[in-house]
Amino acid sequence: MEPLTPELELEGLEPRLALTVFAPAWGLPSISPQCSHTLALLHLAGLRAPANFELRDAAGSKLAPRTALPMLEVGGRALPYGHEQLEALGALGLDLDAGLGARERADSAAYVALLEDALGPALLHSMWLEQANYEQVVRPVYAATLPFPLSVYHPWQMQRRTYAYLARRGLASATEVHAKAVRALDALSVRLGARPFFGGERPGALDAAALAYLVTVQRCPLPVDGLRRALYAYTNLTELCDRLMDTYFADAPTVARLALGAAVAGGAAAAA
């Protein structure tokens, strides 16, 4: 696979990158869509751990209770998820939409925002507020991938924060967030059409966001799975999920890491 920017010497990339994320599970790069998003931005740009960046799982890191992940370190400077990470990667020549014109970049950004604003709250509601999903799948797996006492504190804290966040946005109703997510899936399916990627022949920033959110919907084994069933009504979107994972997360170290995450998730679910 050709890197995004062939002129960039990835082996000697400076400043050095380090990324701290929640561990993988269920065949996902991370149990957190946001962590999967930053990982996707790096993988789709041609970077791999450990050759091009240091990848740290939360379980092996000394994290304060309120540390937000993913945390990207660029030359020793810690950057939170969002525009700061995107700007830093862009400054290193790792902008997946670098070849687009202004109108195309605006279109890509609008659809990324749609994913985050519609699929994001729906996933939060489904994972953290749907009690069967939280108790049987999400809480035990998050707890199994975190050190004590975060394993006890963090899932409970996340559930409370999720409820407060969605309530502030008027999105505490499962019916409302699901309907908004389905409308977004319909728009994304039309936008993708028959192309292999949202970016055309090669993936762009929208594909990285799709890998984070759509693949989480597709692969997280929630017992109350209305969102996943809605996704499977769009064949081109599910095929995109498989294509992105098969193409950009199939190197040997990543496959081994995902397999380890699957074993941890299976053990946690059995013990729940």
Side-chain angles (χ1 to χ4, degrees):
M1 180 190 63
E2 291 295 323
L4 172 72
T5 50
E7 73 279 3
L8 190 65
E9 192 64 41
L10 296 178
E11 290 292 343
L13 183 65
E14 293 292 344
R16 181 68 179 175
L17 303 178
L19 179 65
T20 305
V21 296
F22 289 112
W26 315 304
L28 297 167
S30 170
I31 52 180
S32 159
Q34 290 78 19
C35 292
S36 290
H37 190 184
T38 301
L39 275 166
L41 290 168
L42 296 174
H43 273 238
L44 269 60
L47 275 66
R48 296 292 183 272
N52 311 123
F53 65 96
E54 181 183 354
L55 182 58
R56 306 167 181 163
D57 282 336
S61 304
K62 296 181 179 179
L63 301 175
R66 293 185 177 273
T67 300
L69 299 181
M71 183 63 68
L72 179 67
E73 293 182 27
V74 181
R77 186 164 61 101
L79 303 173
Y81 177 72
H83 73 277
E84 290 187 57
Q85 292 186 5
L86 291 173
E87 289 179 357
L89 293 176
L92 292 172
L94 302 173
D95 180 356
L96 295 175
D97 286 344
L100 300 183
R103 179 175 295 183
E104 293 169 313
R105 289 180 69 89
D107 178 78
S108 174
Y111 276 94
V112 170
L114 177 67
L115 264 170
E116 294 175 340
D117 292 344
L119 268 296
L123 262 175
L124 284 173
H125 196 289
S126 184
M127 294 176 72
W128 295 98
L129 300 188
E130 185 64 57
Q131 200 61 24
N133 293 343
Y134 174 74
E135 292 290 348
Q136 296 176 35
V137 176
V138 176
R139 183 190 58 77
V141 171
Y142 262 83
T145 58
L146 288 170
F148 182 83
L150 285 180
S151 58
V152 176
Y153 176 75
H154 189 270
W156 170 79
Q157 180 191 56
M158 276 293 296
Q159 190 180 49
R160 290 187 63 195
R161 285 183 176 179
T162 297
Y163 180 80
Y165 168 73
L166 293 178
R168 285 196 305 270
R169 295 188 59 185
L171 295 172
S173 162
T175 302
E176 184 176 349
V177 294
H178 180 81
K180 187 176 180 180
V182 170
R183 291 194 295 270
L185 290 173
D186 191 62
L188 288 162
S189 178
V190 172
R191 171 68 170 75
L192 178 61
R195 292 177 295 182
F197 301 107
F198 284 111
E201 293 302 315
R202 62 187 302 173
L206 178 53
D207 294 282
L211 191 151
Y213 290 94
L214 297 183
V215 174
T216 301
V217 172
Q218 181 194 42
R219 300 196 177 192
C220 186
L222 301 176
V224 182
D225 67 343
L227 199 55
R228 182 164 68 243
R229 286 185 280 113
L231 173 63
Y232 270 91
Y234 301 95
T235 302
N236 63 341
L237 294 181
T238 57
E239 290 178 347
L240 172 68
C241 291
D242 294 336
R243 187 177 302 117
L244 286 167
M245 288 298 297
D246 291 345
T247 305
Y248 294 97
F249 283 83
D251 56 287
T254 300
V255 169
R257 182 172 177 271
L258 295 182
L260 179 60
V264 171

